[in-house]
Amino acid sequence: MNIRRSALQALFTLIVALPAWMPAAFAGEAAALPDDSVYHLDMHLVDQEGRPFHLADRRGRPQLVSMFYSPCPYVCPLIIDTLRMTQRALPASDSSKLDIVMVSLDPERDTPARLKQVFGERKLDPATWTLARTEAPNVRKLAAILGIQYRVLKDGGINHSTSLLLLDANGRIVAQSGKTGELDADLVAAIERTLAAD
Amino acid sequence: MMFRISLLLLTVGVANAADYVNLPGGRFASVLPADATGADVDVAPFAMRSEPVTNAEFLAFVQSHPQWQRGRVASVFAEPRYLMHWQSAQKLGSDVLPDQPVTQVSWFAAQAFCESEGARLPLWNEWEFAAAADATRADARNDPLWREQILAWYAQPAGKTLATVGGPANFYGMRDLHGLVWEWVDDFNALLVASDSRDQNDPDRLKFCGAGALNLRDRDNYAVLMRVAMLSSLKAADTTNSTGFRCARAATPSSQGQLP
Amino acid sequence: MKQVIYAMSTLLALTAGQYGLAADTAPAATQGYIHGDFGPPRGEPIHAVLTTPPMVPAPTQRNYPAKVIVELEVIEKELPISEGVTYTFWTFGGTVPGKFIRVRQGDTVEFHLKNNPNNKMPHNIDLHGVTGPGGGAASSFTAPGHESRFTFKALNQGIYVYHCATSPVGMHVANGMYGLILIEPPEGLSPVDHEYYVMQGDFYTTGKYREKGLQPFDMEKAIDEKPTYVLFNGAEGSLTGDKALTAKTNETVRIFIGNGGPNLVSSFHVIGEIFDHVQQEGGTKVQENVQTTLIPSGGAAIVEFHTEVPGSYVMVDHSIFRAFNKGALAILKVDGPEDKSIYSGKEVDAVYLGDRAGSNLAAVTQATKAATAGKLTKEEQIKAGQQLFVGTCSVCHQANGAGLPGVFPPLAKSSVIAADPKRPIDIVLHGLSGKVTVNGQEYNSVMPPMTQLNDDEVANILTFVLNSWDNPGGRVEADEVAKARAQPAANPAAGH
């Protein structure tokens, strides 16, 4: 019984510890992940086409990240508009180098099929845009690391702060914007700087 | 037979099951109401550790999970002050008692600990549900004397030596919810209090989707307001020398206490 | 080394200013209100020197807008609030009120708020001189062991309160989280000999006033607005005794007087002084010749006065029970030569006859004067005695000396007086009881000793009686009365 218990303990430890070790494994030939990179948080996501990926897979290109949920009537459509506006404010050569990722706050209702529907409705460009979902505990962790606040209400609605985060190629948060419905000149400038640095 | 036992052990985790106590849950008048109409929340039955996690327990955790040791953990998960009161990354030192609640831990570190024993951080409503009780009543929040006692702790600076866990149990069998340390909750970043707390009735509608930040009910319960303020001031990687945590999980037959 | 660099850069900046680095724009063409934005900051950033109350930092003496870096740390600590009584204060910079901040209109202030790691509570700051959301509170919410920074331009001149605005706000303020920031007008304030920083606050403890030990905050009393202490600068005695403010005669004193509240309005008054100038509520217009000025809760004022005579000038909240029963009392000690033409001190300590000093007692005064000079005449005695007789003796013996038959013996043509003109001295001094026959009638009553009369008065009254109503005449002298007073009574009666 003891042996089995310690074996189980070891197995458990491995299962829990493994995700945190994974980014180091994936770093491969690239430089070690900076201490303040979001990609230390490894999580499994699924995009609007149902394709699974790890958060750290995004490493290598700057990312504009936000969180939303599809039934959101007020601000979430505005977030998409704002992201599109921001993308268009960049010169054509630059806008293709920036990825846009929106992760759902409501993974139960935002299935990949639903995300695909929204993707089509809003005519998003698959070359740069991704709508994704992940399991509930990861939603809280991602929001925590990005500094996004949210609260699920009784009726299923979600109160959440609106925040666009710019990650550099190594996953560090280099800029943040709370502006929705208008272009944030500081954010555009930060994107240009980040793209130029790579 | 062995297969079934190992399966059971896997599901309930390897923590000391006796530390978790079942709470019945139920309808609860939370300071943060369930929706904009001010509805009560429904707290599902749950189990929670009767005491905060101690230095000794957290030490065992970082020894078996070295990526959470001070100096090794990424700063995105824990700021530089993480566990700085310990003598070294794997040693408490003589100034730090094993049975004191562990402090200087970030939300990510607390979550990782709880996950390591098959649990999670409690939700704000679960914690407040348990904390509304005094020794004899499930909900003592309308008792001004009880509220004054709790306020008195908040008014003392944190410089004094931290007491050990194991204070008197409340109605639910929970200890040390008041008077020892602030405690992390899973949805600490859901409190959506404007950082200028005088703005409650003037939400910037575009800042918070869903027509504004929620209003706080029961503004006379100052202790709760202070807990909301405290958690709202923290980011997930922050630590303070008065913030600790305890874990929660689904109510199970292996925990003490009756299932509802 | 850092200090040297900053000192030198300040010196350089000042010198540059002297040599005519373009001074500020004159007031805009628009009438009256100066917008306060004098353009971007110039010169090296300046690290603001913050002072502990009651001291005030020196004037900036700049004529251009600068970047000023202010670093303020919140410290929660136990401090004395009264003799033998302590309280856990939450402080800006370790004192109540918090450190004094001094900048100039148009300055760009980079504000660093630090929350000491040993604190338990999160804090922020709202400066009333900031134009922006929450006065800075929205941008400075800081957990213990962390630091926040925000920048604002000081658009408006004036003296402003700053305070913590973290929920529950009332408790943070009641625990002492307030102070003052002075935003100088572009031309600076006029020079004075002394500038002092005083701030009133009300405090709420579960124990009574002066109940010993560490006293916790009492939320119910705070909500009911029933303070236990009302204090200047956070403690009883903070500005009295050897901690009193000081000045010399013939100096100008300026006090930046604030009121952190949380609840009370102050009626600020300096006993023995009149405010020559008051910038009421800290505003630009100056009022003159003010005795007591109101300081709103969460407000401040600037008062100035000139000292003329030495003494201890007590500063109070003139809602006077707060001064004498809750501690709202501070002292400004002024030293220097006296000036009797302005204030003489006590000149006369004279007898005040009270309700006997009626209009008809001129003769008494005359007689007193004459007796003092040693020149009292019988006529003067008779006149004085007549005035004194009325209201004292006449009550029983009647104004005409007739007495009351069977009750009070007559004095008029009295057989007793005729038999021995000096006997009345003993009767008046020691009283008379028992049987006595006057003018053939027997009286058996009690005359109490007239102990309220002094020797002069007895002498004058008896001289009057002797010379009235066909009595034998003659006079009684004060020293005779004095001698008789020393003798035991011939026929004593109990006093009243």
Side-chain angles (χ1 to χ4, degrees), chain A residues 12 15 18 28 47 53 79 86 92 94 100 111-112 120 122 127 136 144 146 156 166 172 176 188:
Chain A
F12 216 82
I15 292 172
L18 195 57
D47 72 5
F53 66 101
I79 298 180
T86 311
D94 282 346
I100 300 180
T111 59
R122 301 307 309 267
L146 296 177
L166 175 66
R172 301 148 107 181
Q176 181 270 340
V188 174

Side-chain angles (χ1 to χ4, degrees), chain C residues 261 378 413 462:
Chain C
K378 193 163 95 170
K413 207 161 175 186
L462 290 178

Side-chain angles (χ1 to χ4, degrees), chain C residues 184-261:
Chain C
E184 291 177 338
E187 69 278 10
L189 294 173
S190 58
V192 292
D193 296 301
H194 300 277
E195 283 181 325
Y196 287 118
Y197 170 30
V198 179
M199 198 153 184
Q200 182 174 324
D202 24 294
F203 298 90
Y204 303 82
T205 62
T206 54
K208 292 211 229 328
Y209 175 67
R210 291 195 178 159
E211 193 176 308
K212 306 270 177 268
L214 171 63
Q215 289 295 334
F217 168 71
D218 190 322
M219 181 61 83
E220 296 299 318
K221 285 186 191 170
I223 294 173
D224 292 340
E225 301 190 28
K226 292 194 159 71
T228 323
Y229 295 90
V230 180
L231 303 169
F232 292 117
N233 291 10
E236 270 209 274
S238 64
L239 296 171
T240 66
D242 50 11
K243 293 192 243 158
L245 304 181
T246 56
K248 294 206 186 34
T249 51
N250 216 19
E251 287 190 322
T252 43
V253 177
R254 173 181 293 139
I255 301 181
F256 298 102
I257 172 75
N259 182 3

Side-chain angles (χ1 to χ4, degrees), chain C residues 360-428:
Chain C
N360 284 332
L361 282 172
V364 176
T365 318
Q366 166 84 0
T368 312
K369 271 215 202 110
T372 321
K375 296 196 197 103
L376 187 63
T377 63
K378 193 163 95 170
E379 280 64 40
E380 282 167 337
Q381 274 193 290
I382 292 169
K383 283 210 176 74
Q386 181 175 31
Q387 287 183 345
L388 289 166
F389 182 90
V390 169
T392 311
C393 318
S394 64
V395 178
C396 299
H397 295 289
Q398 307 308 310
N400 56 7
L404 205 59
V407 185
F408 304 124
L411 299 175
K413 207 161 175 186
S414 164
S415 55
V416 166
I417 296 175
D420 177 7
K422 296 298 176 182
R423 191 175 170 205
I425 301 176
D426 179 70
I427 294 174
V428 168

